């Protein structure tokens, strides 16, 4: 996307803008695709301005907020993609119906993940990462369909620190790791409607003993959100009969990315150490030489 929907308006008003707004406007003019895809904070960092400057830019051109600008650019990008795909798959061509169905599913997932970059969600993610990174011990909990999210969070973070524990239901002993847990410890809990009873009860038990709870959940009034110190709210809707865990998985990965620089660990060195140790254990398949 070479031009954005507000290119002419921004160019027309550019000379009358204060210097900080000009820096923000220059980024929008030069990187229209990034405006559609990146969060406001990421754009502000790349533009070398504060996120409040990006919001002022939107108001300067008559929008209510920066999300309105992102929405315009996201729509323009989707429209452009549709035009390109129509050129690739003319109406009535083999596979056209299947492509449209796949595109619809992917668009829904992309929009759900992109919402995590909205200002309110970004603030919650940042605050949650600060709390998780400062934990004495860090527990990861998700049962039934949310288990893959908790496992992935644990698996990636455990390469950087030995303070993280996965609470699963294997052998009925998953909760045993909580012995002695209390003030200074933090639990990441993943739970969405219909909520697994064990997930709620374990989180309640932890909270009663002083463990701070960070929740990835589906509502600000969910049972987990009501007892959590920080809540990252994700959507469940999908284009099929099941609820999607893709937004929850994206939130967990965002937390790991934010936690990693705050740990007393060097991520690249830790990754290499893990690869060497797992190679010694012959964990992964390798072609015979």
């Amino acid at each position: 996307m070479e031009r954005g929907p507000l290119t002419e308006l921004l160019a027309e008003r550019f000379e009358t803008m204060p210097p900080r707004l000009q820096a923000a406007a220059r980024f929008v003019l030069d990187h229209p695709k990034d405006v559609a895809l990146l969060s406001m904070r990421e754009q502000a960092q790349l533009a070398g301005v504060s996120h409040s400057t990006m919001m002022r830019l939107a108001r300067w051109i008559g929008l209510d907020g920066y999300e309105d600008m992102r929405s315009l650019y996201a729509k323009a990008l989707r429209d452009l993609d549709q035009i390109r795909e129509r050129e690739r798959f003319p109406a009535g061509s083999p596979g056209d119906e299947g492509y449209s169905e796949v595109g619809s599913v992917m668009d829904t997932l992309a929009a759900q993940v992109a919402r995590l970059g909205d200002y309110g969600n970004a603030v919650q993610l940042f605050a949650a990462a600060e709390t998780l990174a400062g934990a004495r011990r860090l527990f990861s909990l998700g049962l039934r369909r949310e288990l893959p999210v908790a496992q992935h969070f644990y698996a990636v973070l455990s390469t950087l620190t030995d303070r993280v524990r996965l609470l699963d239901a294997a052998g009925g002993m998953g909760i045993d790791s909580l012995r002695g847990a209390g003030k200074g410890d933090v639990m990441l809990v993943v739970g969405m409607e219909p909520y697994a009873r064990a997930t709620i009860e374990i989180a309640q038990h932890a909270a009663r003993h002083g463990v701070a709870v960070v929740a990835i959940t589906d509502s600000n009034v969910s049972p987990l959100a009501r007892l959590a110190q920080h809540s990252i709210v994700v959507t469940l809707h999908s284009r099929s009969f099941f609820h999607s865990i893709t937004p929850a998985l994206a939130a967990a990965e965002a937390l790991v990315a934010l936690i990693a620089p705050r740990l007393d660990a060097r991520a690249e060195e830790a990754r290499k150490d893990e690869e060497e140790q797992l190679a010694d254990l012959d964990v992964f398949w390798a072609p015979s030489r």
Side-chain angles (χ1 to χ4, degrees), residues 217-239:
T217 187
D218 61 327
S219 169
N220 283 309
V221 293
S222 76
L224 292 176
R226 290 199 295 269
L227 58 86
Q229 183 172 331
H230 306 289
S231 296
I232 296 96
V233 177
V234 297
T235 54
L236 302 179
H237 174 70
S238 76
R239 290 282 182 172

Side-chain angles (χ1 to χ4, degrees), residues 173-247:
M173 299 177 66
I175 198 172
D176 288 18
S177 296
L178 279 176
R179 287 180 298 178
K183 188 175 181 180
D185 298 325
V186 184
M187 178 186 292
L188 175 73
V189 187
V190 188
M192 291 164 282
E193 192 176 19
Y195 310 102
R197 177 174 54 81
T199 298
I200 305 303
E201 291 177 351
I202 293 170
Q204 290 172 337
H205 169 87
R208 284 196 302 269
H209 287 78
V211 177
V213 174
V214 171
I216 297 177
T217 187
D218 61 327
S219 169
N220 283 309
V221 293
S222 76
L224 292 176
R226 290 199 295 269
L227 58 86
Q229 183 172 331
H230 306 289
S231 296
I232 296 96
V233 177
V234 297
T235 54
L236 302 179
H237 174 70
S238 76
R239 290 282 182 172
S240 191
F241 65 94
F242 58 86
H243 288 164
S244 174
I245 66 166
T246 298

